[in-house]
């Protein structure tokens, strides 16, 4: 294939050391999905593209894009930093997980279509301080289709009704209505609010979202529901997701300790 310079939009997903002075940088590109770029001399002092390839940077680049093997950046036209993500541990953790998930969901060399805008909208919402868990939950729901699991969120998988209370069933691959709860004794027992959010998330265009407010109890159930689906139905266990779960458990321990000074240890159940 001819090696021609192509303009593209991209966001830096992660970087990896390569030889003494060089870097491998994974970039999510609009035109060819996630691609690995070889950046020669990237660790040299005064490298001209240094700020264009920092983590959580996005913008317009020109490069040689290879569907297989390594791609190259020729120049950066205009790039921006998502500084609100870089500076905050919690946002950083969720954005890192989101990009790892996207990396798993898309093949190298294929155009992303509308997904690129959706991922950028998610990163911008996280960057500006919207609840990162909820933003990521939206993409988790939508990316299930990319992973070959396409749960039916908006109606009962047995009878098609959408006007009755619904609950999620892994076994049936989607929602069951009140009349068909008996089809799966292991249905999730979700609250109506959680069901409503899952239905909403399945088709939500994040570019049109401004505010994000989900109450804590519903957020917990949404998080647990999606973790379970990703674990059970997909078997996907990403390092960045494990980090988030550990971070949540430190935070909870810290909050408990603050609320009940001195009683934290006694309150732990035996064997934990
Ligand atoms: Zn039904």
């Amino acid at each position: 294939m001819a090696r021609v310079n192509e303009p593209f939009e991209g966001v830096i997903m992660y970087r990896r050391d390569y030889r003494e002075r060089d870097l491998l940088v994974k970039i999510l590109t609009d035109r060819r999905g996630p691609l690995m770029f070889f950046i020669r001399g990237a660790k040299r002092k005064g490298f001209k593209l240094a700020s264009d390839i920092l983590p959580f940077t996005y913008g317009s680049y020109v490069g040689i894009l290879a569907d297989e093997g390594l791609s190259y950046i020729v120049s950066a036209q205009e790039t921006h930093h998502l500084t609100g993500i870089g500076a905050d541990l919690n946002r950083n953790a969720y954005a890192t997980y989101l990009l790892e998930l996207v990396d798993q969901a898309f093949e190298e060399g294929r155009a992303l279509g509308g997904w690129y805008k959706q991922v950028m909208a998610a990163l911008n919402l996280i960057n500006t301080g919207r609840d990162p868990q909820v933003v990521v939950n939206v993409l988790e729901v939508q990316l299930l289709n990319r992973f070959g699991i396409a749960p039916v969120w908006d109606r009962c998988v047995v009878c098609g009704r959408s006007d009755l209370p619904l609950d999620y069933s892994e076994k049936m691959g989607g929602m069951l209505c009140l009349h068909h709860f008996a089809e799966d004794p292991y249905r999730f027992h979700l609250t109506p609010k959680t069901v409503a959010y899952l239905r909403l998330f399945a088709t939500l265009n994040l570019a049109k979202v401004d505010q994000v407010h989900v109450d804590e109890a519903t957020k917990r159930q949404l998080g647990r529901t999606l973790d379970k689906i990703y674990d059970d139905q997909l078997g996907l266990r990403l390092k960045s997701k494990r980090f988030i779960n550990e971070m949540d458990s430190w935070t909870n321990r810290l909050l408990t300790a603050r609320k009940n000074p001195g009683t934290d240890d006694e309150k732990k159940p035996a064997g934990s």
Side-chain angles (χ1 to χ4, degrees), residues 13 30 42 78 83 92 117 126 175 181 183 223 249:
M13 305 180 87
D30 57 342
E78 193 191 345
T83 47
N92 196 316
K117 281 206 172 100
I126 295 172
M175 294 291 179
F181 280 174
E183 296 286 331
S249 89

Side-chain angles (χ1 to χ4, degrees), residues 156-161 176-180:
C156 174
V157 292
V158 179
C159 69
R161 281 187 75 161
L176 291 173
C177 80
L178 192 58
H179 294 320
H180 294 104

